[in-house]
Amino acid sequence: MKSTHRAAAFGLAGALALSLTACSSGSSANDGGDAGSTDGTGDGSGEVAQTTLRVVSLLPGSEQAAIDAFNAQVAEFEAANPGIDVVPEEYEWKATTFAAQLAGGTLPDVFEIPFTDAQTLIANGQLSDLDAQFRTLPYADRFNPAIVAVGTGADGHVYAVPAKNVYGVGLHYNRALFESAGLDPDDPPTTWDEVAEYAKKIADANPGVAGYMQMSQNNTGGWQLTVQTYSRGGRVQALSDDGATATSTINNPATVEALEWLQAMRWEDNSLGSNFLLDWGTINEAFAAGQVAMFTSGSDVYTSMIQSNGLDPAVYGLAALPLGDSPDVGVLSGGTLAAVPAGVDDAVKDAAIAWIDFFYTAKLVDEARAVADAETLVKDNQPVGTPVLPMFGRDQWEQNQEWIKDYVNVPLDQMQSYIDSMFDLPLVNEPARRTQDVYALLDPIVQAVLTDQNADIDQLLTDADTQAQALLDQE
């Protein structure tokens, strides 16, 4: 991957922040042998050529109502596209299993990846070139260019399409647990010191409950430690001005401060509960079950917790991420791209872009599609209106919200702290190089701080810096 495109991807946060402000986020067999299937003659015999398209659906274990809503969307798509047979497959992206799934050809034809993975997968030749298909979208040139750049290769071609959930990390909290500790759920904490203070009060009032908890495994520990670092003005990686080289900066004052903050809550306040091995899926589950009162994650996870974890909307709150006093503070941003594995034929790629248009993106720019999507979801009591950042600019986002206002069924008044700040967030993208490898190095550091009272933070960070730099030097 050429350095210019690395720099473009890393520049997403700044460009996205500027955009948000100025505008007021068959199988995958590598040999192609069974990558989608086409049958029927399509030669005038009266039969329509059929393409089977395997697509990512919902998380494993999702509620039946969510499955019904998804299946209704599939039926609507197939009715409008009689030549495409959609086969939904449950899917959850995990850093520890994704590479093997892709290499083994077990992913669907349309699957989802985080922003951080796109450039490596493109450079490795593991994604199909979707540029020709992408350009057929009538709104292709309306995407935020910085977001499109994340899924664009060094050849200028689009390999992964912006799909959904362009987010800034927020603070998720349980309103009922706030009330149980005498805290006002309409006045969430705005500093990390207040988070610690609230966490202790909640834990003291609710034995066995974590007043606050942080993810720590499957690379999510590193992800959220990076969130903490950014929020205090630090960075875990630095690029040279030309984007050609990267330097690991894991051992920096902001990361040290974040770990010492966790260490104090764990060993002095005893406010972090007893389960110190949570990841994205399990912390959502624990939060929905009332076992965790506060945690940080992307602004969009409310939808998943409703669909998969039985969250009671009445207890949910979303607040802006607390930020320190440094002028370099930032809110980690990210998002989801839709991609197709390398080796599929044009029929599958054509079907894939039709599905991506229908399921992910058209509803953001087309009123009829927005309303139809919202109606289908509301029919099965699925969330409509969860706060995410716009992929087409603030004006388009506001227009979309106007189209679906009669269908919004999420408790926006309980998310107001985040909504009020979302267009002014100092967004910063995730580390540009070896992102998941860096996160994997940070996981055991978070775990050590949570499980070893005598963990040597400076030594742990120094060792991780050395290992991270060795990886970066291999590029």
Side-chain angles (χ1 to χ4, degrees):
M1 179 174 55
K2 292 183 179 179
S3 60
T4 54
H5 285 275
R6 285 179 175 135
F10 188 68
L12 165 64
L16 179 55
L18 178 61
S19 171
L20 299 185
T21 302
C23 288
S24 197
S25 147
S27 71
S28 53
N30 290 332
D31 61 7
D34 59 351
S37 61
T38 303
D39 52 45
T41 63
D43 58 1
S45 65
E47 294 186 47
V48 176
Q50 290 290 316
T51 298
T52 298
L53 185 74
R54 297 167 54 214
V55 304
V56 54
S57 60
L58 303 173
L59 294 175
S62 291
E63 301 284 333
Q64 186 60 47
I67 296 171
D68 292 342
F70 186 89
N71 288 341
Q73 290 171 304
V74 169
E76 181 185 352
F77 175 81
E78 289 180 335
N81 298 271
I84 304 173
D85 177 26
V86 173
V87 179
E89 296 187 4
E90 293 182 338
Y91 171 81
E92 180 179 1
W93 184 93
K94 288 188 176 182
T96 51
T97 58
F98 173 77
Q101 289 173 311
L102 181 57
T106 60
L107 291 177
D109 297 312
V110 179
F111 57 90
E112 298 172 0
I113 57 174
F115 280 5
T116 52
D117 280 23
Q119 290 298 315
T120 297
L121 296 174
I122 294 169
N124 290 344
Q126 294 175 283
L127 304 183
S128 283
D129 185 336
L130 297 177
D131 197 73
Q133 288 76 19
F134 175 75
R135 304 298 171 190
T136 67
L137 297 175
Y139 47 86
D141 60 354
R142 294 170 57 189
F143 280 97
N144 183 321
I147 295 178
V148 175
V150 177
T152 300
D155 57 1
H157 289 198
V158 172
Y159 288 78
V161 181
K164 64 178 183 179
N165 301 355
V166 180
Y167 65 82
V169 170
L171 179 70
H172 307 264
Y173 65 96
N174 184 305
R175 295 172 60 87
L177 289 173
F178 268 48
E179 291 177 343
S180 73
L183 300 168
D184 182 356
D186 294 323
D187 186 23
T190 59
T191 69
W192 291 117
D193 285 344
E194 286 183 346
V195 171
E197 176 189 341
Y198 284 32
K200 180 167 174 50
K201 288 181 179 180
I202 292 169
D204 287 347
N206 300 273
V209 169
Y212 174 87
M213 192 49 200
Q214 197 154 307
M215 303 176 213
S216 64
Q217 66 173 349
N218 293 328
N219 295 19
T220 63
W223 174 44
Q224 288 302 304
L225 182 56
T226 301
V227 168
Q228 290 278 341
T229 298
Y230 286 4
S231 75
R232 291 169 167 83
R235 301 291 185 270
V236 299
Q237 190 179 102
L239 285 180
S240 60
D241 290 341
D242 63 1
T245 61
T247 302
S248 178
T249 58
I250 287 172
N251 194 355
N252 67 82
T255 304
V256 171
E257 180 183 330
L259 290 169
E260 289 177 344
W261 177 78
L262 277 178
Q263 195 173 52
M265 286 199 293
R266 167 67 175 95
W267 300 104
E268 296 173 21
D269 296 348
N270 192 28
S271 59
L272 302 185
S274 58
N275 186 351
F276 306 119
L277 289 174
L278 296 173
D279 60 13
W280 186 87
T282 53
I283 204 167
N284 290 349
E285 181 180 353
F287 179 85
Q291 299 165 358
V292 171
M294 291 182 284
F295 75 107
T296 56
S297 187
S299 63
D300 58 310
V301 299
Y302 173 85
T303 296
S304 178
M305 288 191 287
I306 290 292
Q307 292 179 334
S308 302
N309 306 121
L311 174 70
D312 177 2
V315 307
Y316 178 79
L318 174 63
L321 188 77
L323 298 175
D325 298 326
S326 167
D328 297 321
V329 297
V331 175
L332 186 146
S333 64
T336 300
L337 300 163
V340 175
V344 305
D345 61 27
D346 284 343
V348 174
K349 290 197 287 184
D350 291 343
I353 204 68
W355 173 254
I356 291 168
D357 171 56
F358 170 87
F359 185 70
Y360 293 108
T361 51
K363 63 186 177 184
L364 304 177
V365 296
D366 178 80
E367 180 176 6
R369 182 71 223 127
V371 170
D373 183 76
E375 286 179 337
T376 299
L377 293 172
V378 167
K379 180 180 178 182
D380 288 294
N381 297 315
Q382 295 307 293
V384 174
T386 301
V388 292
L389 300 176
M391 292 195 294
F392 295 94
R394 181 170 181 171
D395 287 348
Q396 184 63 58
W397 180 87
E398 290 176 343
Q399 178 66 77
N400 178 270
Q401 296 305 294
E402 181 67 22
W403 291 335
I404 65 172
K405 66 179 181 180
D406 293 338
Y407 303 94
V408 171
N409 58 4
V410 303
L412 292 180
D413 58 327
Q414 296 165 205
M415 308 176 185
Q416 204 60 48
S417 170
Y418 182 86
I419 294 170
D420 287 346
S421 69
M422 61 187 276
F423 291 109
D424 299 314
L425 297 174
L427 299 174
V428 181
N429 200 20
E430 297 179 72
R433 306 282 187 83
R434 304 298 289 258
T435 312
Q436 298 301 331
D437 291 329
V438 170
Y439 287 168
L441 290 172
L442 296 178
D443 271 4
I445 297 177
V446 177
Q447 293 169 19
V449 167
L450 295 176
T451 59
D452 179 2
Q453 189 169 4
N454 299 312
D456 186 336
I457 291 174
D458 182 69
Q459 188 60 56
L460 289 167
L461 293 177
T462 297
D463 291 346
D465 242 341
T466 300
Q467 296 173 67
Q469 192 59 55
L471 292 172
L472 295 171
D473 290 342
Q474 293 174 14
E475 294 199 338

